[in-house]
Amino acid sequence: MGNSIQVRDRFADGAQYIGGKLRPGTSGRSHDVVDPATGETVYTYELAGTADIDAAVAAAREAFPGWSGATPAERAEVMHRFAAVLAEQADDFAYVESLQCGKPIKLSTEFDVPGTIDNTSFFAGAARHLEGKSAAEYDGDHTSYVRREAIGVIGSVAPWNYPLQMAAWKVLPAIAAGNTIVLKPAEITPLTSLMFAQAATEAGIPDGVINIVTGAGKEAGEHLVGHPDVVMTSFTGSTAVGKRVAQIATSTVKRLHLELGGKAPFVVFDDADPEAAANGAVAGALINTGQDCTAATRAYVQRPLYDAFVRRVAELMETVRLGDPFDPSTDLGPLISHIQRDRVAGFVDRARAYATVVTGGEAPGGDLADGAYYRPTLITGAAQDSEIVQSEIFGPVLVVLPFDTDDEGIRLANDTPYGLAASAWSRDLYRANRATREIKAGCVWVNDHIPIISEMPHGGYKASGFGKDMSSYSFEEYTQIKHVMYDNTAVARKDWHRTIFGDR
């Protein structure tokens, strides 16, 4: 792929992928995919209606017996081919991901796409390692063992910040465990999710195992979550929408996995490497233009290092290059939309009344004026209970606050409704180890912030949700645990029967 005309050609049949084929939506309403770097429309499609959701669920339900009945080796083999197809098409995926999201091409090429290929390879192998507890005679008279079984049709909803990776995180553990899936990507960024499903078909994954429905949350998303034939919902997005998803899922007694918002603390103790911490803060705050639920958003710096940290972070932020996402030298692309850019700007503008904007705090002009760009922004002097410290901004904004004692630093880090990710910066093993124990987050990095790997779980505490993406732990979400127990005595009248009738 090389331009938006080819995108239109590739998806000329529509943005719904049901039973192995593209088709148009039936809602009667169209939607534009817009390049946030230029404001230009790159693709227009018909949104999914409830009939499309029903068709996709029916296709998934029809495919379930065959796919769940395949051996783990058979599922693994075709998923390894899936990884190979993704690798062959890596350049296309990177181009389209940058086109629909505004990601710098170096981020798509070096992070999003290879991460997705690696996830696919990991789950291809993990498909053969769905283990239960070993057989044993726990009471002496019976042999027990545990089966892990596929649970059925999964209905998942993914966000717009990492469309390709989020599609993979939802789809791969589900299908590796033998389930089938209907995924609703964000309507503003559906293209790489559709390409992901097409690549699966090309690799030999049967029609109906992976279905994509692209529609609005209120109509398509809520109908999918509430569908009686969907047995589980996995949702990644804001905490506010997550609460609504939970309400709908609970009403239909569905299994539920939620990966919600974050407000990650970045705790710098006074023995940390100052240069490493400053570089880590800028990278951790600005990745994906700050549109990352694990991004470093609250830096707590012990007072001896505070002033130097602020100066160095400001210096580094001012070197970050905003520009055309397809220029290999561009460091920071636009936000996902002008609406999101204005939302971020609103947080910063309101903060001016009670805090100091050290650098950034504005949209660039000139050649970038038509895009949804916003400069890297550093804020100091905010109170712990202020909006800029407590609310998820989802943009290139870092707030820095000082602390005095280790107790205070950890207390401030935990002073948030969220608990998705955090980092601690120290050269003292015991100090860092304490932080990893006491900071309430699903992931705590030490002397780094952001790296993720397929082998390790991703998921949060508190208002950041529950359940895990990636790793073998994700199978806890996508498998049903069944206890099987065999009598070994061949005795008709069991000793325990006397509790119901007769004597010993």
Side-chain angles (χ1 to χ4, degrees):
M1 284 190 162
N3 56 53
S4 61
I5 300 301
Q6 288 175 296
V7 169
R8 294 189 182 105
D9 290 345
R10 176 156 185 169
F11 301 112
D13 292 334
Q16 319 304 324
Y17 196 74
I18 300 172
K21 295 181 177 58
L22 288 170
R23 53 190 264 184
T26 61
S27 70
R29 293 179 292 115
S30 63
H31 190 83
D32 295 333
V33 176
V34 175
D35 177 354
T38 63
E40 296 177 359
T41 296
V42 298
Y43 177 61
T44 301
Y45 67 94
E46 298 299 315
L47 287 162
T50 56
D52 303 305
I53 306 301
D54 292 342
V57 172
R61 188 177 180 186
E62 182 178 353
F64 177 73
W67 183 248
S68 62
T71 67
E74 289 168 339
R75 288 199 295 269
E77 182 181 6
V78 72
M79 289 183 70
H80 278 301
R81 290 202 298 270
F82 186 14
V85 172
L86 294 172
E88 291 166 2
Q89 300 177 10
D91 289 346
D92 288 353
F93 275 98
Y95 171 79
V96 177
E97 193 76 335
S98 288
L99 182 68
Q100 67 179 353
C101 299
K103 293 175 186 283
I105 192 66
K106 66 180 180 180
L107 181 64
S108 295
T109 301
E110 298 176 24
F111 185 75
D112 297 67
V113 174
T116 299
I117 296 168
D118 186 71
N119 287 165
T120 308
S121 294
F122 171 81
F123 279 107
R128 301 185 73 163
H129 295 279
L130 284 169
E131 297 178 349
K133 187 174 285 189
S134 299
E137 289 68 47
Y138 294 99
D139 70 351
D141 289 337
H142 301 82
T143 296
S144 289
Y145 68 88
V146 169
R147 290 175 55 88
R148 283 188 182 271
E149 297 181 351
I151 58 178
V153 177
I154 313 299
S156 292
V157 180
W160 48 257
N161 57 333
Y162 290 101
L164 177 59
Q165 290 205 85
M166 293 299 100
W169 288 15
K170 300 302 182 197
V171 168
L172 295 171
I175 68 169
N179 303 288
T180 56
I181 189 168
V182 179
L183 173 72
K184 191 197 90 65
E187 59 268 35
I188 59 176
T189 55
L191 301 179
T192 49
S193 297
L194 293 164
M195 292 170 63
F196 189 71
Q198 289 177 314
T201 298
E202 187 175 337
I205 291 178
D207 293 349
V209 172
I210 302 172
N211 305 275
I212 310 294
V213 287
T214 309
K218 278 289 185 183
E219 182 175 6
E222 293 198 1
H223 190 66
L224 176 61
V225 173
H227 199 288
D229 290 334
V230 168
V231 298
M232 175 198 160
T233 289
S234 177
F235 170 80
T236 296
S238 71
T239 298
V241 177
K243 291 177 180 178
R244 175 61 180 156
V245 169
Q247 289 175 343
I248 298 170
T250 301
S251 69
T252 52
V253 198
K254 284 180 172 50
R255 189 180 294 204
L256 184 61
H257 166 217
L258 297 175
E259 199 266 87
L260 307 176
K263 190 71 177 176
F266 186 101
V267 183
V268 183
F269 295 101
D270 58 15
D271 67 331
D273 179 331
E275 186 67 11
N279 279 269
V282 173
L286 300 184
I287 187 170
N288 203 36
T289 317
Q291 298 167 127
D292 187 311
C293 47
T294 64
T297 58
R298 300 178 290 138
Y300 296 102
V301 183
Q302 208 150 22
R303 209 170 292 273
L305 296 185
Y306 177 80
D307 290 339
F309 179 88
V310 170
R311 285 194 302 271
R312 185 60 177 142
V313 167
E315 290 171 357
L316 290 170
M317 280 189 170
E318 289 165 6
T319 70
V320 172
R321 299 164 296 186
L322 280 69
D324 176 2
F326 293 101
D327 183 339
S329 68
T330 292
D331 298 320
L332 200 73
L335 290 150
I336 191 65
S337 67
H338 287 82
I339 292 172
Q340 179 66 11
R341 193 270 311 275
D342 293 345
R343 179 180 179 274
V344 171
F347 276 106
V348 175
D349 290 343
R350 290 189 296 275
R352 296 179 196 276
Y354 55 81
T356 300
V357 178
V358 178
T359 189
E362 62 182 6
D367 293 342
L368 304 181
D370 291 337
Y373 290 88
Y374 198 76
R375 294 195 186 282
T377 300
L378 178 63
I379 293 175
T380 60
Q384 174 67 13
D385 62 356
S386 62
E387 178 191 53
I388 203 79
V389 174
Q390 292 294 328
S391 297
E392 187 173 32
I393 300 168
F394 231 54
V397 179
L398 176 66
V399 185
V400 185
L401 298 89
F403 70 92
D404 291 302
T405 67
D406 290 17
D407 287 350
E408 181 188 14
I410 292 173
R411 178 181 61 78
L412 291 171
N414 285 329
D415 182 24
T416 174
Y418 301 108
L420 187 59
S423 63
W425 296 74
S426 172
R427 287 182 274 205
D428 184 315
L429 172 64
Y430 297 100
R431 210 175 199 183
N433 212 3
R434 178 194 175 191
T436 65
R437 292 194 309 271
E438 296 186 13
I439 293 176
K440 304 304 180 187
C443 174
V444 181
W445 293 283
V446 176
N447 295 327
D448 208 343
H449 194 109
I450 286 299
I452 54 175
I453 50 176
S454 298
E455 291 84 356
M456 289 291 114
H458 176 87
Y461 286 34
K462 303 188 290 186
S464 291
F466 47 82
K468 300 298 179 185
D469 289 309
M470 296 200 299
S471 83
S472 295
Y473 292 99
S474 65
F475 288 131
E476 301 301 323
E477 321 304 325
Y478 295 101
T479 55
Q480 181 68 50
I481 302 299
K482 178 185 287 184
H483 170 215
V484 178
M485 178 180 267
Y486 285 89
D487 170 60
N488 293 327
T489 66
V491 174
R493 186 74 172 258
K494 307 289 193 293
D495 185 57
W496 72 267
H497 291 179
R498 67 188 174 81
T499 62
I500 308 302
F501 62 98
D503 300 318
R504 187 185 293 273

